[in-house]
Amino acid sequence: MSPRRGASPRTTGRPATVTDLRDKAARGERLVVVTAYDATFARLLDEAGVDALLVGDSVGNVVAGYNTTLPVTLDHMIYHAAAVRRGAPNAFVIVDMPFLTYQINEEQSLLNCGRVIQETGAQAVKVEGGSASIARTVRAVVDLGIPVMGHLGFTPQSEHALGGARVQGREATAAAQMLDDARRLEDAGAFSIVLELVPANVAESITAGISIPTIGIGAGPHCSGQVLVMHDLLGLTDTFSPKFLKRYATLADDVRGAVRAFGDDVRAGTYPDADHSF
Ligand code: KIV
């Protein structure tokens, strides 16, 4: 009998930990992070050797078809993160805390981050921003025993305030503020910080100015690691072409081609043939 769809083929081996990431970064190895939203792709990405899977709230864009990440809810994230965990039982899984789930007060933040860890089996959460109030939340969540990743630069949950997906930290004062925010997140106990849409030299100074790893997306080559949205990396989102994006496959073409071929076979009556019939 063939394996059931959705079942993970890999259940042996030790689950990855935050210490593995820290150790790799300390050895100067660049960290590879890719977003994941479902069990099938989580398994493939894990088998391809990524260091961590990020269940990004970009799920709202690339899976649900929203223009922003703002409509994504905690229940959506839990659903997708649990699927990712089932697909990649040994991967290090980080889950984005969606808009309004960690900004209101400490009690709600702790309960929401706790739910994510308890209900999905993920190891860490990610929050956006570097204000004093976010840093207090990071401290409280870390004290609860949950590793937290920060996110600075372009923070999509604030995209209306930032005027869209624009490079952040071009001016000296903004760059200095970003470094202060990064230090504040590090002091609060964050284990790593995503830097999104940041000039390469600013990301370089931040990476040099803190001792936790930075993970860049549109932040140049000097970060401790890089993350890409899986659909972008694989060329599924073929109408999205920001300067920083390098596509490593053209799956949108493959999907259209495969489905056209299936359609042609069905219309011609050549599928299913004897080999594919009982
Ligand atoms: O939601 C997401 O996918 C992210 C990455 C772009 C870092 O936050």
Side-chain angles (χ1 to χ4, degrees):
M1 192 180 181
S2 61
R4 286 171 58 83
R5 275 182 205 279
S8 168
R10 197 162 73 81
T11 51
T12 54
R14 182 176 68 76
T17 67
V18 72
T19 314
D20 295 331
L21 293 190
R22 279 203 199 99
D23 290 349
K24 269 198 173 179
R27 289 196 297 268
E29 291 176 38
R30 290 206 172 81
L31 300 174
V32 179
V33 182
V34 179
T35 67
Y37 316 99
D38 67 60
T40 299
F41 276 108
R43 177 174 68 81
L44 298 177
L45 300 175
D46 190 33
E47 287 171 358
V50 299
D51 293 305
L53 296 172
L54 170 64
V55 187
D57 59 358
S58 51
V59 69
N61 306 113
V62 295
V63 176
Y66 295 121
N67 286 330
T68 74
T69 59
L70 298 172
V72 176
T73 67
L74 190 63
D75 287 340
H76 294 149
M77 294 308 297
I78 288 174
Y79 175 83
H80 287 282
V84 166
R85 168 50 76 220
R86 286 191 291 272
N90 291 322
F92 190 76
V93 175
I94 306 159
V95 182
D96 251 340
M97 295 305 295
F99 183 56
L100 286 185
T101 62
Y102 60 94
Q103 301 97 331
I104 308 303
N105 62 48
E106 188 175 308
E107 190 183 340
Q108 258 190 35
S109 308
L110 291 175
L111 280 170
N112 289 336
C113 292
R115 264 194 74 193
V116 165
I117 300 300
Q118 189 170 54
E119 295 179 30
T120 71
Q123 289 97 329
V125 297
K126 174 164 85 58
V127 300
E128 295 185 4
S131 65
S133 122
I134 293 292
R136 277 194 296 278
T137 300
V138 170
R139 168 50 63 202
V141 176
V142 169
D143 285 348
L144 188 64
I146 301 175
V148 180
M149 175 180 250
H151 186 153
L152 298 174
F154 173 62
T155 45
Q157 291 172 20
S158 307
E159 80 162 79
H160 295 314
L162 297 173
R166 305 154 73 99
V167 175
Q168 303 294 310
R170 283 194 196 277
E171 302 78 25
T173 48
Q177 180 64 58
M178 210 184 296
L179 177 56
D180 286 350
D181 290 353
R183 289 191 169 132
R184 192 160 32 211
L185 291 173
E186 177 179 15
D187 290 345
F191 73 88
S192 172
I193 301 176
V194 166
L195 297 177
E196 181 166 358
L197 299 187
V198 174
N201 63 323
V202 175
E204 183 176 17
S205 323
I206 293 175
T207 303
I210 59 177
S211 61
I212 55 174
T214 56
I215 306 295
I217 173 163
H222 307 295
C223 295
S224 325
Q226 299 289 329
V227 58
L228 281 177
V229 169
M230 184 196 76
H231 290 57
D232 302 338
L233 182 163
L234 296 179
L236 282 163
T237 46
D238 58 350
T239 55
F240 178 67
S241 299
K243 181 176 182 207
F244 70 81
L245 176 60
K246 179 171 175 184
R247 296 188 222 284
Y248 288 83
T250 51
L251 289 199
D253 291 337
D254 292 346
V255 169
R256 283 186 288 257
V259 175
R260 272 191 203 114
F262 169 64
D264 289 347
D265 278 1
V266 170
R267 287 179 198 110
T270 52
Y271 177 84
D273 55 13
D275 287 347
H276 297 95
S277 300
F278 298 104

